[in-house]
Amino acid sequence: MTLLLSAMCACESKDDTGVSIADEHRRDSTEVTVAATRILHGDSNPGKSDKNRLCRLEFLDRNSSANKFPELSNTSSSLFDRVKFFIDGAEIGSIGMGAENNPFVQDDFDNHFSPSCDLAWVGNLAFGTVEDDKGRAVKFHDRYYCAFVRLPDMCVVGNSTDLMCDGQFDSSGQWVRNDGEDSDIDLSYRVTAKGLLDGNLDGSGLVGSIGNLLRCDPVSKENSSLYSDLIKRNIIKMSAKERDDLAKRVDEFR
């Protein structure tokens, strides 16, 4: 059997009752965020700290995944292509889905930000179909992920699933997993052109997308030659327009 995915993973995660998130999601006909509702918990208002930092996010560009996957037809209204971030009323910018095209999940949680607004999480959905040897679709899979976004540069430092998404920010701004395990979120992490060229980093998914790379490691005089090599070696997935735009940026530093 062949698994065709529009995102990083189509494995179904299960809770301690053996119920898969995908199955639980399909039982809900109105909210694709049921997986997030079940596993995510938060403080009453961790987006506001003693410094009175106010953070919010806004979902933009409704996703059209339901046109390709009828299983999402009742939940597609909760899926979006971009997320815009605001800190203290000022717009920081927005991030897109990335090369794997896993849309962002809109929800009504108030714990998306650490108290200092230096880290945010946003849900995204991986989905796809399993096909048999004759190319016939036999099963639909979906899986909820939580992307951790460093602010204000909007560098995605991790995109996790399962127990990693089951947690909350504490008063110091650390992401604390509810099972007591370390969260392993490194705010200093960034995907870089050098890391991709050296093979130390994966050039796929939301973290390894060209959009995230340019946020985490902007083209400069110091790394423009590395970006030239990235283009030549086709290491990172890009559209023709993204490739042309990147080439123009690199040329500005030659």
Side-chain angles (χ1 to χ4, degrees):
M1 301 181 80
T2 302
L3 182 63
L4 300 180
L5 280 176
S6 66
M8 292 184 299
C9 179
C11 321
E12 290 184 347
S13 57
K14 297 179 183 289
D15 59 19
D16 54 10
T17 67
V19 177
S20 73
I21 288 177
D23 287 340
E24 189 170 85
H25 155 58
R26 282 194 292 274
R27 285 201 298 269
D28 189 294
S29 61
T30 58
E31 286 295 330
V32 75
T33 56
V34 63
T37 302
R38 183 175 64 79
I39 63 177
L40 287 173
H41 314 279
D43 299 331
S44 60
N45 188 12
K48 184 175 181 180
S49 70
D50 294 337
K51 298 179 180 179
N52 294 319
R53 302 216 74 186
L54 296 174
C55 325
R56 71 180 181 91
L57 52 80
E58 179 180 329
F59 293 87
L60 306 171
D61 302 334
R62 197 173 297 279
N63 186 270
S64 59
S65 299
N67 295 335
K68 184 176 181 181
F69 294 93
E71 294 88 348
L72 296 174
S73 59
N74 292 327
T75 58
S76 60
S77 61
S78 297
L79 303 179
F80 291 81
D81 292 349
R82 288 191 299 141
V83 177
K84 184 184 292 185
F85 295 91
F86 299 82
I87 298 180
D88 294 335
E91 178 183 330
I92 303 303
S94 65
I95 61 175
M97 295 185 297
E100 305 299 332
N101 294 321
N102 37 328
F104 296 109
V105 179
Q106 184 181 32
D107 55 62
D108 57 1
F109 297 125
D110 59 2
N111 69 325
H112 278 280
F113 298 89
S114 64
S116 60
C117 295
D118 60 354
L119 185 64
W121 70 261
V122 60
N124 56 101
L125 192 70
F127 55 86
T129 57
V130 175
E131 294 183 351
D132 61 20
D133 294 337
K134 295 183 179 180
R136 295 173 298 194
V138 295
K139 191 172 184 180
F140 177 81
H141 286 257
D142 63 355
R143 192 171 188 181
Y144 183 87
Y145 284 81
C146 50
F148 292 90
V149 186
R150 184 178 64 218
L151 299 177
D153 63 356
M154 298 183 299
C155 175
V156 180
V157 298
N159 195 32
S160 306
T161 189
D162 295 330
L163 293 177
M164 184 63 178
C165 297
D166 187 8
Q168 57 192 304
F169 290 110
D170 65 14
S171 59
S172 69
Q174 296 294 313
W175 180 256
V176 180
R177 287 173 46 156
N178 287 339
D179 63 358
E181 295 293 325
D182 292 337
S183 65
D184 286 336
I185 297 177
D186 182 3
L187 275 176
S188 67
Y189 171 83
R190 64 184 185 126
V191 60
T192 63
K194 186 178 188 306
L196 289 169
L197 286 169
D198 292 343
N200 298 325
L201 301 172
D202 182 12
S204 64
L206 188 60
V207 175
S209 67
I210 182 61
N212 195 51
L213 173 63
L214 291 173
R215 290 190 298 271
C216 301
D217 187 26
V219 181
S220 65
K221 182 178 180 180
E222 289 73 23
N223 65 15
S224 60
S225 61
L226 298 174
Y227 271 100
S228 292
D229 289 343
L230 274 182
I231 295 173
K232 293 175 183 176
R233 293 168 57 181
N234 199 29
I235 289 177
I236 192 168
K237 185 176 181 180
M238 289 182 279
S239 66
K241 183 179 185 305
E242 287 172 332
R243 187 175 298 277
D244 290 343
D245 289 345
L246 179 57
K248 291 177 181 178
R249 289 197 195 190
V250 172
D251 285 342
E252 292 175 359
F253 293 96
R254 287 182 174 175

